[in-house]
Amino acid sequence: MTDGTRNGRGRDAVVVGGGLAGVTAALALADAGVRVTLLEGRPRLGGLAFSFRRGELTVDNGQHVYLRCCTAYRWFLDRIDAAALAPLQDRLDVPVLDLAKPEGRRLGRLRRDALPVPLHLGRSLATYPHLSLAERAAVGRAALALKGLDLADPALDAQDFGSWLTAHGQSARAVEALWDLVGVATLNAVAGDSSLGLAAMVFKTGLLSDPGAADIGWARVPLGELHDRLARRALDSAGVRTGVRTRVTSISRYGNGRWSVQVPGETIETDAVVLAVPQREAHALLPDGALDAPERLLEIGTAPILNVHVVYDRKVLGTPFLTALGTPVQWVFDRTEASGLTGGGQYLAVSQSAAQDEIDAPVSVLRERYLPELERLLPRTRGAEVLDFFVTRERTATFAPTPGVGRLRPGARTKAPGLYLAGAWTATGWPATMESAVRSGIGAADAALRALGRPRPRHLFDVEEAA
């Protein structure tokens, strides 16, 4: 960064925040010929999807996945030349182990066939061993009712998903073994705490739109390789000036319609500003009058995610991932290769969403709780040596998808000309996912380009058409 004031003619923009939303906005603006400065307070890009070093390992702060229906995030991977590093399954296939049955461990699978919707999941549901025949039939009826909901109906936002499921004949077991199995991982909340609007969006888009929509993809390399190194390379190639360890202290509008962005030791003058930061930080930076009710940003709650990391001296899991019932363990992923672990051991990451009850638990307590559960889940762990056990916590990992949250989420445009909002918490229609973050960045860039009179890059149309 240079001292002084940046002046000059032409169109320019400052993007505040280097998470997925900010990086996306910066790339989209630069692709349209705008001169872009991207400012991030942390020493890295990637926001809440990042990596760090622990000894010889490269560790992701949490396990992040995406689905084939995540067209914006897939565009982002293509844009930073990273799609091959985060491939999708050929077909949805999720192993589900149930530990609650007296007869012992029982394996089921959620997978699709090459058939049209809804037949693509028919065989999987018909043979799903974790529900009774009557429960499976009731699930099918509820799925059809869900498919008929109008996502544009604002009344859905005011209802909770759990009550809707109960009203549509779903047993507590069906909620646990199917609806929450998917919903907790995507919404970061149980059905009773989730907006029906957001839940319906997840299930309609992921499971009831296209046969391949729910195929799962995840990074086979550390997230920092994608969201920091390759993202920074793409930004550099696009001509974006990127400043990390650079925290914005204030923004204000000049009388001539341009904007002033203050960072320590520098004032940047610009035509447009995209605030791509968490909602509380955005509230602190918003100038007066930018939103009709800025206090609503502070009403958007947050939800935590806990990740338990265990390194064993041998291989104990034979699949890339699995999920479980009848145990506190939710999803388990093999991160051995991605982390750089060698020598024959295995590194597992246990991803625990909606972790309000455990997010502040001491590591010793979590170790006593989860190692025995992993032994129940994975018999090969019995007798294996635990080489390392540690925990990562994201206390504000996502916005809370509670009923009524939709009315609190602002769009990309503000009432202040030239000022735009981005972030997974804005009104994308999606829950707090990487897809939502990228969509918000595209939306903010699109709004800014329209106001600046710049032609929109073709890829913005492509992403919207795919959606």
Side-chain angles (χ1 to χ4, degrees):
M1 305 293 291
T2 58
D3 294 331
T5 302
R6 183 185 177 200
N7 292 298
R9 297 178 180 177
R11 296 302 190 181
D12 44 40
V14 171
V15 178
V16 183
L20 293 181
V23 172
T24 298
L27 287 172
L29 289 166
D31 288 347
V34 177
R35 295 191 300 270
V36 182
T37 298
L38 174 65
L39 304 174
E40 168 57 52
R42 300 181 179 93
R44 51 159 180 80
L45 303 179
L48 291 177
F50 67 95
S51 306
F52 62 92
R53 294 288 294 178
R54 180 180 174 91
E56 298 301 314
L57 301 181
T58 302
V59 175
D60 290 346
N61 69 313
Q63 179 63 49
H64 294 260
V65 304
Y66 71 101
L67 305 180
R68 194 179 296 277
C69 62
C70 295
T71 53
Y73 183 68
R74 289 170 59 199
W75 166 82
F76 177 82
L77 291 176
D78 285 335
R79 180 62 183 79
I80 64 171
D81 197 24
L85 301 178
L88 286 152
Q89 292 177 311
D90 293 333
R91 288 187 188 176
L92 173 70
D93 188 359
V94 179
V96 185
L97 266 174
D98 184 10
L99 303 187
K101 301 292 184 181
E103 59 268 26
R105 302 163 71 253
R106 191 172 189 183
L107 176 65
R109 306 191 87 91
L110 293 174
R111 52 186 166 190
R112 71 171 176 93
D113 293 316
L115 294 170
V117 174
L119 300 178
H120 68 309
L121 296 174
R123 183 172 62 161
S124 179
L125 179 59
T127 59
Y128 191 54
H130 306 320
L131 296 177
S132 69
L133 183 60
E135 286 170 330
R136 291 176 223 160
V139 164
R141 291 191 294 272
L144 289 176
L146 198 65
K147 194 174 190 299
L149 293 178
D150 179 6
L151 297 182
D153 182 358
L156 300 187
D157 178 54
Q159 304 175 55
D160 77 88
F161 187 41
S163 296
W164 187 92
L165 289 174
T166 299
H168 286 77
Q170 301 307 287
S171 66
R173 175 61 176 176
V175 173
E176 174 200 9
L178 185 62
W179 299 107
D180 270 353
L181 191 74
V182 175
V184 168
T186 51
L187 296 162
N188 199 19
V190 297
D193 294 334
S194 299
S195 155
L196 173 58
L198 282 174
M201 182 271 153
V202 165
F203 284 95
K204 285 190 67 169
T205 304
L207 296 176
L208 300 170
S209 62
D210 180 85
D215 299 344
I216 299 173
W218 66 96
R220 306 312 202 266
V221 297
L223 288 172
E225 175 73 6
L226 307 181
H227 300 157
D228 185 14
R229 191 185 74 81
L230 291 179
R232 199 176 303 210
R233 187 176 73 180
L235 290 165
D236 290 346
S237 296
V240 176
R241 183 173 70 128
T242 302
V244 296
R245 294 188 176 89
T246 306
R247 188 163 297 281
V248 172
T249 56
S250 68
I251 61 173
S252 57
R253 194 160 182 246
Y254 291 118
N256 62 2
R258 283 170 64 82
W259 287 85
S260 168
V261 179
Q262 298 286 336
V263 299
E266 183 179 8
T267 298
I268 304 173
E269 186 177 333
T270 186
D271 293 306
V273 176
V274 176
L275 278 183
V277 294
Q279 57 266 35
R280 290 187 174 275
E281 190 174 341
H283 179 270
L285 289 172
L286 281 174
D288 291 341
L291 293 179
D292 281 333
E295 67 278 2
R296 286 185 176 180
L297 301 190
L298 303 180
E299 297 175 31
I300 301 174
T302 59
I305 295 178
L306 176 77
N307 282 269
V308 174
H309 308 260
V310 189
V311 180
Y312 292 97
D313 68 343
R314 66 195 71 175
K315 186 172 183 177
V316 297
L317 174 65
T319 59
F321 65 89
L322 61 79
T323 186
L325 306 171
T327 169
V329 173
Q330 294 175 13
W331 292 74
V332 183
F333 287 82
D334 178 9
R335 299 300 297 169
T336 306
E337 184 176 354
S339 69
L341 178 66
T342 58
Q346 190 171 32
Y347 164 29
L348 303 183
V350 181
S351 183
Q352 301 292 108
S353 300
Q356 288 87 344
D357 294 339
E358 294 184 319
I359 193 65
D360 293 317
V363 173
S364 59
V365 171
L366 295 171
R367 183 183 179 107
E368 291 176 4
R369 181 175 301 160
Y370 281 98
L371 287 183
E373 290 298 325
L374 287 170
E375 287 189 8
R376 291 179 62 217
L377 188 64
L378 305 171
R380 294 183 203 170
T381 62
R382 299 164 194 167
E385 182 182 355
V386 176
L387 301 179
D388 198 6
F389 182 101
F390 58 99
V391 174
T392 52
R393 313 170 200 260
E394 293 295 340
R395 291 177 173 82
T396 58
T398 69
F399 72 83
T402 50
V405 71
R407 67 177 181 83
L408 304 175
R409 299 172 71 183
R413 292 178 176 85
T414 71
K415 297 186 71 175
L419 177 63
Y420 308 93
L421 300 177
W425 53 274
T426 60
T428 65
W430 284 67
T433 56
M434 296 189 296
E435 175 73 5
S436 183
V438 174
R439 282 174 179 262
S440 76
I442 291 173
D446 186 24
L449 291 174
R450 291 176 186 272
L452 293 172
R454 302 294 299 185
R456 301 161 69 212
R458 177 64 210 176
H459 63 68
L460 291 186
F461 291 103
D462 292 340
V463 172
E464 290 171 358
E465 289 168 3

